[in-house]
Amino acid sequence: MKLREVELRRIHLPLVAPFRASIGTLNHRDVLLVHVVGDDGEGWGECSAFGEPFYSYEYTDGAHDVIRRHVLPRLFAQRDVAAEDISRILAPVRGHPMAKAAVEMAVLDAELRAAGRSFADYLGASRTKVDCGVSVGIHERVADLLRTVEGYLSDGYKRIKLKIEPGHDVEDVRAVREAFGDILLQVDANTAYTRADASHLAQLDDFDLLLIEQPLPEDDVLGHAEVAQVVRTPICLDESITSAQAAGDAIAIGACSIVNIKAGRVGGYLEARRVHDVCAANGVPVWCGGMLETGLGRAANVALAAMPNFTLPGDTSASGRYYAQDIVEPFVLEDGTLRVPTGPGLGVSPLEDELERFTVAVELCR
Ligand code: OSB
Ligand code: MG
C-alpha cells in the first residue's frame, strides 16, 4: 500500500520489578512504537531495542533516528510498499535490524488488517496456544531467587530460565534444581563468559539443563563450537543469530543445537520465519525469545511461537510478569499457555487511555 504518514511514539513503561542480566539492569522499558497509515488502512509496530545499547548496539533513540532519517524517506519514496519488499528496499541502510523490524511489523500489520488475516495465519502457525516460560533476572541473594522462582512456578510457567554470570551461576542453578526438582530449567549468560570458561560451564552439566544460551560474545560463533565440544548441555544461540544465513552457518559448524528466535534481532518477522525454516530443515528446535515487549510485540511473538518448529517453551510471558498495566488488553496465562490472537493483523490494538498515559513523545513523519 502507499504510505501516507507514520507516527513515531515513545512510551515509558515501568517494570513491576527490576530485571538484572549480566549486561545490565532494566527498571522500565523505553519503547518506540511505529504507527503507519496507508491508503488501505493502519498498523502497529514495536521496536525491541532497549533504552541503552547493552544487549546489542541498537538503542531506542538510535532506532528512532535511523527510522526518521533513513528508513521512512526510502519507504515514502515508493509508489507502493509491501511488507515483503521492505528488507530489499532497506538493504542500503546497513544494520539496525530492530529499527527495520519495527517498521516492517507495522506495514505487515496494516496489510493483514486490511486483508482480514491474522499474523498467526500469515506466518503458518500450527497451534492455537503456546507454552510459556519465564526469564528470571540475577538476584544478589539465593533466598530471593528461590522466592521469585517459586512465584513463577505457582503462576503456572512451564519452564524457568535463569540469567547467569560469573559468580551467579553453578550455585544458583544448584539451589533452584534442589528446591524445585525436575522442572524444565535453562540458563542465559548474555555473553558473560569466554572460551577459557568452557570447563567451568561444564559444571552445569550436573543439573540436566535444557540448554545454555549465549555464553560467549556474539561475534565468537567459533568459540561456541569449541564450548559445545566440552559441555554436554546443548548450546543455544541468541545474540549471534542475526539472520537465517547466520543460523545455518552456526548450525553447520556445531556452534549451537538450539536457536532462540527474536524477530527484532534478525530484522523482522519475515526473516524470523526464515530462521525457523532453516532450523527446521536442520532438525534444530527453536523457541521464541523476548525483549520485554508490550502487548503489541507480544501478540506478534505469540503468533510466531505458534509455528511448528517452536517446540520449546518461549520467553513469551504474560503481560503481568512485566507491567502492572499493559497498553493493550493484557495477555493472561492459562495453564502455562498464552492464547494465539486470531483477529486481523496483530489481533490486538492499543487501549487509547493507557497509550496516552505512558506516552512521552510523538513525532509525525510524512
Ligand atoms: O537475552 O533474552 C535475553 C532481557 C533483556 C535482555 C536480554 C534478554 C532478556 C530476556 C527477557 O531474557 C525475556 C523476556 O522478554 O521475558
Ligand atoms: Mg538471551
Side-chain angles (χ1 to χ4, degrees), residues 19 21 23 26 50 54-55 133-136 161 163 188 190 213 238-239 260 262 287 289-293 298 301 315-317 321-322:
F19 185 82
I23 45 182
L26 287 165
F50 297 128
F54 59 19
Y55 166 80
V134 59
S135 177
V136 182
K161 168 170 125 178
K163 290 290 190 181
D188 184 2
N190 287 114
E213 182 180 350
D238 172 355
E239 286 89 331
N260 165 328
K262 293 178 180 170
W287 55 280
M291 295 289 279
L292 300 94
E293 286 86 351
R298 194 162 307 284
N301 286 347
D315 284 345
T316 48
S317 310
R321 177 259 174 270
Y322 310 93

Side-chain angles (χ1 to χ4, degrees), residues 160-223:
I160 297 292
K161 168 170 125 178
L162 302 180
K163 290 290 190 181
I164 60 167
E165 67 182 6
H168 287 283
D169 48 24
V170 179
E171 294 316 313
D172 291 40
V173 170
R174 183 193 313 279
V176 170
R177 182 55 91 202
E178 284 180 356
F180 303 108
D182 66 347
I183 59 169
L184 297 182
L185 186 61
Q186 64 192 52
V187 295
D188 184 2
N190 287 114
T191 76
Y193 298 87
T194 71
R195 296 182 186 194
D197 294 316
S199 59
H200 175 75
L201 291 166
Q203 292 180 65
L204 295 169
D205 285 341
D206 291 345
F207 305 108
D208 282 314
L209 301 179
L210 289 167
L211 58 91
I212 300 172
E213 182 180 350
Q214 197 71 44
L216 309 187
E218 78 174 75
D219 58 357
D220 194 9
V221 179
L222 195 61

